[in-house]
Amino acid sequence: MFTSHDGLCSIGELAESAGVTVKAVRFYSDNGLLPEASRSVGGHRRYGPDAVGRLRLLRSLRTLGLPVREVRRVLGEEEDAAGSVLEGAVAGQLRELGSQLTALRWREAGLRLVLECPPEERADRLRLVGAVATPPNTGALARFWRAWLPPRMPARATAAFLEVAVPQPPDDPEPAQVLAFARLYALVTRPCTGAERPQPEAHHGSGARASAALYAGLAQAYELAGTQLRRGAGPRPGEELDSFVDAYASAYGSRDTPAFRRLLAGQLAADPRIDRYWELTADVITAPGSPPEPTPGSAHDWLFTALDEQTAAATG
C-alpha cells in the first residue's frame, strides 16, 4: 500500500488511504491517539502500515459520538478488556443521546404549546415554559414534599413516598403535558407562607416511626383504591377503606372502631388539601384523550369519600 522505501507514509498519504482529512489525522496524532512511526529529515510526520487500520477504528469510534477520553480508554485497553470498555462507553453515549432526544422533544412540545395558543396567552405560557429546564428536572417537586412531610421521617419512608408523589415527566410529551408540568413547577416554587401550606393533623402524631408506618399504610391503601379508580368504581366500604383507616389507627395507637372512623372523617375534612398539585400531576402523567391515571391525591379523595359516606350513613 505504501510505496516508500522504508514502508512508511506521509500524513497526506495516510489521510487519503483511510478516507479522512489531513486535519483529522493531525488532530488524532496531537491527542496521542495515532502514534507516529518517525519524522522525516524535514520534520514531517511518518506513519507505519498499521496506522490505516487504527485510523479507521478512530473514525468509527468518533462517528458513534464517543468523546476523545472514551476513545483513548478503548484504545488503551488490552484486546480482551477493550470489548467491555467499548460496551460501557457506547451504553453511556446512548444514555446521553436519550437525554438529548428527550430535551428536544420537550422543546418541540413547548414551541407547539406557544404557537398553538391564543395570542393573548402567549406571554404567560412563555413565562411558564421558560422557567422549566429541558429535559425537566423534578428536584423542585421533591423539595416541596420534603418540606411538607413529617419532620425526621426515615429516609427510606420518605424516598418511598416521593416515588409515588413526584410524577416522572414523559419522554415524548404532548403540549398539554408540558403546560401541566410547567404549572406544577410554578406551583411548588412560588413563595408561600406557612399558613398557605399547613401540615395535616396526622403530621403531629407520635414521632418519626409512627409517621413512617402511616405513610407505608397509606401507600398500600392508595394502591388498592387506584385499582378501583382504573375500573371506574365509585367510593365504597371494603378492603381499600379498611386499609386506609388501619393506617391512621396504627399511627395513633388506636383501634378501628365506629367512633374512631367518625373522628377520623371529621379530622380529614378539616385537614389542608393540595388538590391543585394532584390535578396537575394527573395531567402530566396522563396522555391527552386517555382516562386519568390515579394519583395519591385522587386515591385519597376516593377513600375519604367512602369513609365520609359510611360514617354519615351510620349516624343518619
Side-chain angles (χ1 to χ4, degrees), residues 7 10-11 65 75 79 102 134 153 159 162 165 169 173 248 270 289 298 307 310 312:
S10 68
I11 190 171
L75 295 176
E79 184 175 348
T102 299
T134 53
M153 191 159 135
L162 292 179
Y248 284 100
S298 61
L307 175 64
Q310 183 187 58

PDB file of all heavy atoms in Angstrom, residues 7 10-11 65 75 79 102 134 153 159 162 165 169 173 248 270 289 298 307 310 312:
ATOM      1  N   GLY A   7       8.696   1.775   3.818  1.00  0.00           N
ATOM      2  CA  GLY A   7       7.384   1.247   4.173  1.00  0.00           C
ATOM      3  C   GLY A   7       6.526   2.200   4.954  1.00  0.00           C
ATOM      4  O   GLY A   7       5.468   1.809   5.464  1.00  0.00           O
ATOM      5  N   SER A  10       3.423   9.464   4.368  1.00  0.00           N
ATOM      6  CA  SER A  10       3.238  10.824   4.882  1.00  0.00           C
ATOM      7  C   SER A  10       1.833  10.970   5.445  1.00  0.00           C
ATOM      8  O   SER A  10       0.959  10.120   5.259  1.00  0.00           O
ATOM      9  CB  SER A  10       3.458  11.833   3.761  1.00  0.00           C
ATOM     10  OG  SER A  10       2.408  11.713   2.801  1.00  0.00           O
ATOM     11  N   ILE A  11       1.603  12.108   6.101  1.00  0.00           N
ATOM     12  CA  ILE A  11       0.283  12.364   6.670  1.00  0.00           C
ATOM     13  C   ILE A  11      -0.774  12.463   5.579  1.00  0.00           C
ATOM     14  O   ILE A  11      -1.906  12.006   5.749  1.00  0.00           O
ATOM     15  CB  ILE A  11       0.319  13.650   7.542  1.00  0.00           C
ATOM     16  CG1 ILE A  11      -0.985  13.791   8.340  1.00  0.00           C
ATOM     17  CG2 ILE A  11       0.579  14.883   6.691  1.00  0.00           C
ATOM     18  CD1 ILE A  11      -0.930  14.909   9.378  1.00  0.00           C
ATOM     19  N   GLY A  65     -19.945   9.050  18.135  1.00  0.00           N
ATOM     20  CA  GLY A  65     -20.122  10.167  19.057  1.00  0.00           C
ATOM     21  C   GLY A  65     -19.325  10.036  20.339  1.00  0.00           C
ATOM     22  O   GLY A  65     -19.520  10.827  21.263  1.00  0.00           O
ATOM     23  N   LEU A  75      -8.869   2.364  23.222  1.00  0.00           N
ATOM     24  CA  LEU A  75      -7.621   2.030  22.552  1.00  0.00           C
ATOM     25  C   LEU A  75      -6.531   1.640  23.537  1.00  0.00           C
ATOM     26  O   LEU A  75      -5.612   0.888  23.192  1.00  0.00           O
ATOM     27  CB  LEU A  75      -7.147   3.224  21.719  1.00  0.00           C
ATOM     28  CG  LEU A  75      -8.046   3.619  20.549  1.00  0.00           C
ATOM     29  CD1 LEU A  75      -7.507   4.864  19.873  1.00  0.00           C
ATOM     30  CD2 LEU A  75      -8.162   2.488  19.541  1.00  0.00           C
ATOM     31  N   GLU A  79      -6.688  -6.232  24.403  1.00  0.00           N
ATOM     32  CA  GLU A  79      -7.732  -6.697  23.482  1.00  0.00           C
ATOM     33  C   GLU A  79      -8.896  -7.352  24.207  1.00  0.00           C
ATOM     34  O   GLU A  79     -10.061  -7.130  23.881  1.00  0.00           O
ATOM     35  CB  GLU A  79      -7.134  -7.676  22.465  1.00  0.00           C
ATOM     36  CG  GLU A  79      -8.121  -8.131  21.407  1.00  0.00           C
ATOM     37  CD  GLU A  79      -7.479  -9.011  20.347  1.00  0.00           C
ATOM     38  OE1 GLU A  79      -6.245  -9.080  20.302  1.00  0.00           O
ATOM     39  OE2 GLU A  79      -8.230  -9.629  19.582  1.00  0.00           O
ATOM     40  N   THR A 102     -34.831  13.511  24.553  1.00  0.00           N
ATOM     41  CA  THR A 102     -35.938  13.914  25.420  1.00  0.00           C
ATOM     42  C   THR A 102     -36.013  15.430  25.526  1.00  0.00           C
ATOM     43  O   THR A 102     -37.096  16.027  25.464  1.00  0.00           O
ATOM     44  CB  THR A 102     -35.766  13.303  26.823  1.00  0.00           C
ATOM     45  OG1 THR A 102     -35.777  11.877  26.720  1.00  0.00           O
ATOM     46  CG2 THR A 102     -36.882  13.742  27.748  1.00  0.00           C
ATOM     47  N   THR A 134     -34.982  21.745  30.203  1.00  0.00           N
ATOM     48  CA  THR A 134     -35.241  20.631  29.301  1.00  0.00           C
ATOM     49  C   THR A 134     -33.987  19.755  29.211  1.00  0.00           C
ATOM     50  O   THR A 134     -32.900  20.275  28.939  1.00  0.00           O
ATOM     51  CB  THR A 134     -35.611  21.136  27.891  1.00  0.00           C
ATOM     52  OG1 THR A 134     -34.614  22.031  27.423  1.00  0.00           O
ATOM     53  CG2 THR A 134     -36.950  21.845  27.890  1.00  0.00           C
ATOM     54  N   MET A 153     -38.823  12.110  59.420  1.00  0.00           N
ATOM     55  CA  MET A 153     -39.346  10.863  58.860  1.00  0.00           C
ATOM     56  C   MET A 153     -38.168  10.078  58.260  1.00  0.00           C
ATOM     57  O   MET A 153     -37.295  10.672  57.610  1.00  0.00           O
ATOM     58  CB  MET A 153     -40.370  11.185  57.772  1.00  0.00           C
ATOM     59  CG  MET A 153     -41.165   9.979  57.304  1.00  0.00           C
ATOM     60  SD  MET A 153     -42.710  10.507  56.512  1.00  0.00           S
ATOM     61  CE  MET A 153     -42.729   9.466  55.067  1.00  0.00           C
ATOM     62  N   ALA A 159     -38.292   8.382  50.758  1.00  0.00           N
ATOM     63  CA  ALA A 159     -37.996   8.010  49.366  1.00  0.00           C
ATOM     64  C   ALA A 159     -39.152   7.237  48.744  1.00  0.00           C
ATOM     65  O   ALA A 159     -39.491   7.446  47.569  1.00  0.00           O
ATOM     66  CB  ALA A 159     -36.712   7.194  49.315  1.00  0.00           C
ATOM     67  N   LEU A 162     -41.891   9.760  47.932  1.00  0.00           N
ATOM     68  CA  LEU A 162     -41.535  10.616  46.800  1.00  0.00           C
ATOM     69  C   LEU A 162     -41.667   9.865  45.475  1.00  0.00           C
ATOM     70  O   LEU A 162     -42.002  10.454  44.442  1.00  0.00           O
ATOM     71  CB  LEU A 162     -40.109  11.130  46.965  1.00  0.00           C
ATOM     72  CG  LEU A 162     -39.864  12.111  48.104  1.00  0.00           C
ATOM     73  CD1 LEU A 162     -38.400  12.512  48.159  1.00  0.00           C
ATOM     74  CD2 LEU A 162     -40.735  13.341  47.951  1.00  0.00           C
ATOM     75  N   ALA A 165     -45.307  10.243  44.743  1.00  0.00           N
ATOM     76  CA  ALA A 165     -45.865  11.594  44.782  1.00  0.00           C
ATOM     77  C   ALA A 165     -45.278  12.513  43.724  1.00  0.00           C
ATOM     78  O   ALA A 165     -45.929  13.486  43.323  1.00  0.00           O
ATOM     79  CB  ALA A 165     -45.645  12.208  46.162  1.00  0.00           C
ATOM     80  N   PRO A 169     -41.857  12.990  34.351  1.00  0.00           N
ATOM     81  CA  PRO A 169     -42.291  13.578  33.075  1.00  0.00           C
ATOM     82  C   PRO A 169     -42.119  12.593  31.927  1.00  0.00           C
ATOM     83  O   PRO A 169     -41.130  11.856  31.887  1.00  0.00           O
ATOM     84  CB  PRO A 169     -41.353  14.787  32.913  1.00  0.00           C
ATOM     85  CG  PRO A 169     -40.819  15.057  34.279  1.00  0.00           C
ATOM     86  CD  PRO A 169     -40.761  13.738  34.976  1.00  0.00           C
ATOM     87  N   PRO A 173     -43.550  14.195  25.348  1.00  0.00           N
ATOM     88  CA  PRO A 173     -44.785  14.802  25.849  1.00  0.00           C
ATOM     89  C   PRO A 173     -45.608  15.468  24.762  1.00  0.00           C
ATOM     90  O   PRO A 173     -45.092  15.869  23.707  1.00  0.00           O
ATOM     91  CB  PRO A 173     -44.255  15.854  26.825  1.00  0.00           C
ATOM     92  CG  PRO A 173     -42.976  16.303  26.191  1.00  0.00           C
ATOM     93  CD  PRO A 173     -42.378  15.054  25.587  1.00  0.00           C
ATOM     94  N   TYR A 248     -54.165   4.977  59.760  1.00  0.00           N
ATOM     95  CA  TYR A 248     -54.282   6.048  60.749  1.00  0.00           C
ATOM     96  C   TYR A 248     -54.387   5.482  62.161  1.00  0.00           C
ATOM     97  O   TYR A 248     -53.778   6.006  63.102  1.00  0.00           O
ATOM     98  CB  TYR A 248     -55.490   6.919  60.438  1.00  0.00           C
ATOM     99  CG  TYR A 248     -55.271   7.871  59.292  1.00  0.00           C
ATOM    100  CD1 TYR A 248     -55.753   7.586  58.016  1.00  0.00           C
ATOM    101  CD2 TYR A 248     -54.577   9.059  59.479  1.00  0.00           C
ATOM    102  CE1 TYR A 248     -55.553   8.460  56.959  1.00  0.00           C
ATOM    103  CE2 TYR A 248     -54.370   9.944  58.427  1.00  0.00           C
ATOM    104  CZ  TYR A 248     -54.859   9.641  57.165  1.00  0.00           C
ATOM    105  OH  TYR A 248     -54.654  10.498  56.132  1.00  0.00           O
ATOM    106  N   ALA A 270     -61.225  18.504  57.859  1.00  0.00           N
ATOM    107  CA  ALA A 270     -60.657  19.793  58.256  1.00  0.00           C
ATOM    108  C   ALA A 270     -59.200  19.956  57.823  1.00  0.00           C
ATOM    109  O   ALA A 270     -58.673  21.067  57.840  1.00  0.00           O
ATOM    110  CB  ALA A 270     -60.752  19.944  59.774  1.00  0.00           C
ATOM    111  N   GLY A 289     -56.569  12.579  26.021  1.00  0.00           N
ATOM    112  CA  GLY A 289     -57.521  11.647  25.431  1.00  0.00           C
ATOM    113  C   GLY A 289     -57.608  10.315  26.147  1.00  0.00           C
ATOM    114  O   GLY A 289     -58.481   9.505  25.841  1.00  0.00           O
ATOM    115  N   SER A 298     -55.993  11.535  44.122  1.00  0.00           N
ATOM    116  CA  SER A 298     -57.305  11.025  43.709  1.00  0.00           C
ATOM    117  C   SER A 298     -57.684   9.785  44.511  1.00  0.00           C
ATOM    118  O   SER A 298     -58.863   9.570  44.827  1.00  0.00           O
ATOM    119  CB  SER A 298     -57.317  10.722  42.208  1.00  0.00           C
ATOM    120  OG  SER A 298     -56.365   9.729  41.867  1.00  0.00           O
ATOM    121  N   LEU A 307     -65.212   6.838  53.330  1.00  0.00           N
ATOM    122  CA  LEU A 307     -65.285   6.938  54.790  1.00  0.00           C
ATOM    123  C   LEU A 307     -66.382   7.901  55.215  1.00  0.00           C
ATOM    124  O   LEU A 307     -67.174   7.602  56.128  1.00  0.00           O
ATOM    125  CB  LEU A 307     -63.931   7.405  55.336  1.00  0.00           C
ATOM    126  CG  LEU A 307     -63.857   7.675  56.838  1.00  0.00           C
ATOM    127  CD1 LEU A 307     -64.085   6.394  57.633  1.00  0.00           C
ATOM    128  CD2 LEU A 307     -62.503   8.296  57.203  1.00  0.00           C
ATOM    129  N   GLN A 310     -69.789   6.385  54.676  1.00  0.00           N
ATOM    130  CA  GLN A 310     -70.054   5.311  55.628  1.00  0.00           C
ATOM    131  C   GLN A 310     -70.424   5.874  56.996  1.00  0.00           C
ATOM    132  O   GLN A 310     -71.388   5.435  57.635  1.00  0.00           O
ATOM    133  CB  GLN A 310     -68.820   4.400  55.756  1.00  0.00           C
ATOM    134  CG  GLN A 310     -69.078   3.219  56.680  1.00  0.00           C
ATOM    135  CD  GLN A 310     -67.800   2.440  56.935  1.00  0.00           C
ATOM    136  OE1 GLN A 310     -66.811   2.986  57.429  1.00  0.00           O
ATOM    137  NE2 GLN A 310     -67.805   1.157  56.596  1.00  0.00           N
ATOM    138  N   ALA A 312     -71.546   8.862  57.679  1.00  0.00           N
ATOM    139  CA  ALA A 312     -72.811   9.609  57.603  1.00  0.00           C
ATOM    140  C   ALA A 312     -73.990   8.665  57.638  1.00  0.00           C
ATOM    141  O   ALA A 312     -75.012   8.935  58.298  1.00  0.00           O
ATOM    142  CB  ALA A 312     -72.833  10.443  56.324  1.00  0.00           C
TER     143      ALA A 312
END
